[in-house]
Amino acid sequence: MRKDTYQWLIPALLALGVAGALWFYWGQSRQQDRKLVEPATPAVEAPEEVREGPEHPLETTRDTAAAEPQLRPLPPLDESDEYFKLELSDLFGESLDNRLADSGLIERIVATVDNLPREQIAERIKPMAGAPGPFIVKNGGKEDEFILDPENYQRYEALVDLVAKAEPAELEELYRRFYPLFQKAYVDLGYPQGYFNDRVIEVIDHLLETPEIDGPVLLRRPHVLYEYADPALEELSPGQKLLLRIGNEHAATIKAKLREFRGRIIIP
């Protein structure tokens, strides 16, 4: 199992519709390095016919800026880090600021969101620092069998609490206001015809399909890293594995926020 951190919780709720489960980046360990702007290999084959225009168009703050002249204009994407970090700190508290990446924050969030349903996520695109404390397992009833210790779930409590207390309307406003920069980063990632809000909806739906585990979470350790003993769980995406790793209670909180956020950024 990959070294876990709660970095995707920010992208899962920041960029994911909230901007970066803020969702949830769990640290990646020993993963193949690649450029931040390199597009990932699509998980499924592209449709034969390319859809014209976005499936889920989003009205942004820029669209209504004429009626709100007091709004500060967005900076260029490559100059947005300080501005965006200040906005996140105002919304989630200063404790979050110390965990955020120093540069390319919006680009990292967008890349993370895009990769949540895929097979892996490159370490270099993580937008946040790792979760505190070691990964804890207990010996199982059989040789070479391990159990995920429920004490691990406590490592995520602080961040999940930030997500739970976040004001939905403010999260939506932040996403809409910075959406032009999210879209620019998504195009730069390698999707010139893509629409980031469509991808956000797809990823949220994917995360909401994460199964729940009744009973202990069994692990195995064929090499250095732990893996889920159940092959079906091990085949899940990094985003879904993280939801399993934080425990059913925390996952339910994150899923509820994702559903609520989804409802705010999609046209019924």
Side-chain angles (χ1 to χ4, degrees), residues 63-84:
D63 299 329
T64 58
E68 301 180 72
Q70 74 280 8
L71 289 177
R72 176 181 175 182
L74 287 178
L77 179 60
D78 59 1
E79 299 176 10
S80 64
D81 287 318
E82 183 177 356
Y83 185 21
F84 190 50

Side-chain angles (χ1 to χ4, degrees), residues 32-268:
Q32 182 178 2
D33 200 11
R34 58 185 173 189
K35 295 181 180 179
L36 179 61
V37 298
E38 179 182 357
T41 301
V44 296
E45 294 182 1
E48 294 182 0
E49 296 184 3
V50 178
R51 182 179 61 248
E52 294 186 4
E55 182 177 359
H56 305 294
L58 183 77
E59 183 180 67
T60 68
T61 303
R62 175 181 291 180
D63 299 329
T64 58
E68 301 180 72
Q70 74 280 8
L71 289 177
R72 176 181 175 182
L74 287 178
L77 179 60
D78 59 1
E79 299 176 10
S80 64
D81 287 318
E82 183 177 356
Y83 185 21
F84 190 50
K85 290 179 72 173
L86 285 174
E87 294 294 326
L88 292 180
S89 295
D90 287 344
L91 185 58
F92 295 100
E94 295 182 359
S95 60
L96 180 64
D97 183 70
N98 295 329
R99 293 190 173 275
L100 296 174
D102 293 329
S103 62
L105 184 56
I106 287 178
E107 295 95 322
R108 292 171 187 270
I109 289 175
V110 168
T112 295
V113 170
D114 183 54
N115 280 272
L116 285 173
R118 305 192 189 282
E119 294 183 1
Q120 65 179 25
I121 299 180
E123 172 73 11
R124 68 180 297 163
I125 70 174
K126 64 182 183 181
M128 295 181 65
F135 181 67
I136 307 173
V137 301
K138 299 186 297 185
N139 290 327
K142 302 177 182 179
E143 185 178 357
D144 298 328
E145 181 181 77
F146 304 90
I147 298 175
L148 177 63
D149 195 320
E151 289 187 17
N152 281 288
Y153 306 154
Q154 299 177 12
R155 304 168 63 205
Y156 301 91
E157 286 184 357
L159 189 57
V160 173
D161 188 56
L162 286 179
V163 173
K165 293 180 179 179
E167 174 57 45
E170 294 181 359
L171 290 173
E172 177 189 1
E173 193 278 334
L174 178 69
Y175 179 65
R176 289 182 184 274
R177 180 149 52 93
F178 280 87
Y179 185 79
L181 300 187
F182 286 129
Q183 177 62 24
K184 174 66 165 59
Y186 190 57
V187 170
D188 291 347
L189 191 62
Y191 303 104
Q193 304 300 320
Y195 192 70
F196 184 60
N197 197 56
D198 287 349
R199 184 58 173 163
V200 167
I201 297 297
E202 290 176 359
V203 175
I204 290 178
D205 290 344
H206 172 77
L207 294 177
L208 292 177
E209 294 175 351
T210 304
E212 292 186 7
I213 299 179
D214 295 326
V217 180
L218 301 181
L219 309 172
R220 67 188 188 97
R221 196 178 189 182
H223 303 293
V224 177
L225 305 178
Y226 291 97
E227 298 178 356
Y228 289 101
D230 185 341
L233 298 181
E234 184 58 31
E235 289 297 317
L236 295 178
S237 70
Q240 291 179 328
K241 286 181 180 179
L242 186 281
L243 281 175
L244 295 182
R245 197 175 310 158
I246 66 178
N248 289 338
E249 184 176 348
H250 288 335
T253 298
I254 296 303
K255 285 182 176 182
K257 280 292 183 180
L258 290 175
R259 289 190 187 94
E260 183 174 19
F261 187 81
R262 184 186 190 281
R264 289 175 171 271
I265 62 172
I266 191 171
I267 298 177

